[in-house]
Amino acid sequence: MNNTISEEINELKEICCKLSELYGDSSSRFYPPASKTDIEKWENEYTALPEHIRRWLEFSDGYEIMNDRLFHLDDFISNHPHFPDELVIIGTSHDESLCFSKIDGQIVRYGMKEIRRYADFKAFLNETLIRSLRKEL
């Protein structure tokens, strides 16, 4: 399995440049990378991060793209009282909570009516975020 998400990052950067031309600079934002020290500190305090989430955080400690948001590492929520114990909330996607499973590392879109699972963050980026953003162009 390919553990990098560099292709997805590059495609998102290209899409976001086009979105900025169409909707202005506030339509998308990538934050500076999380430090390896911050990542290790978070993992020691809470739980191991899935590999693709770690790779993303090394590129950007969160994003805001149209209506989707990946929180800063410090804002990830482990053990939320209204969510299953296995889930760590890491952002929002299409008005649903974006999470990862502590058990298998899957990405989970947790909504009021539906729960969708993706094999990993790379799959989520390709199947949901990138696909929906292409429609905006």
Side-chain angles (χ1 to χ4, degrees):
M1 183 164 112
N2 183 352
N3 281 338
T4 68
I5 57 171
S6 56
E7 288 178 23
E8 289 75 16
I9 289 171
N10 289 332
E11 184 167 2
L12 274 173
K13 288 187 331 188
E14 288 177 22
I15 289 171
C16 288
C17 284
K18 292 175 185 173
L19 289 173
S20 291
E21 292 171 10
L22 292 171
Y23 301 108
D25 291 338
S26 64
S27 63
S28 62
R29 175 176 306 132
F30 297 106
Y31 293 99
S35 71
K36 289 186 191 264
T37 303
D38 288 341
I39 292 170
E40 290 170 2
K41 180 181 171 189
W42 192 93
E43 287 183 314
N44 288 334
E45 190 169 337
Y46 299 104
T47 189
L49 293 164
E51 187 64 25
H52 286 125
I53 298 291
R54 287 182 62 102
R55 294 288 171 246
W56 180 273
L57 292 169
E58 290 169 1
F59 161 68
S60 173
D61 186 10
Y63 63 72
E64 294 177 39
I65 304 173
M66 302 299 278
N67 295 319
D68 283 45
R69 182 170 179 230
L70 183 74
F71 299 152
H72 296 288
L73 178 62
D74 288 342
D75 296 328
F76 286 11
I77 303 168
S78 187
N79 301 318
H80 189 285
H82 299 294
F83 282 74
D85 289 341
E86 80 165 283
L87 298 180
V88 175
I89 304 168
I90 61 173
T92 58
S93 176
H94 299 89
D95 298 323
E96 297 173 331
S97 294
L98 186 64
C99 310
F100 74 80
S101 168
K102 296 177 198 174
I103 296 170
D104 58 16
Q106 288 187 333
I107 299 301
V108 180
R109 281 180 48 197
Y110 195 88
M112 296 291 286
K113 297 179 182 177
E114 187 174 6
I115 296 172
R116 296 183 186 127
R117 291 185 169 263
Y118 303 86
D120 52 36
F121 194 59
K122 182 176 185 162
F124 164 76
L125 291 173
N126 282 311
E127 295 172 29
T128 301
L129 186 59
I130 291 172
R131 181 180 292 166
S132 69
L133 291 173
R134 282 185 194 134
K135 293 177 184 176
E136 293 289 330
L137 300 178

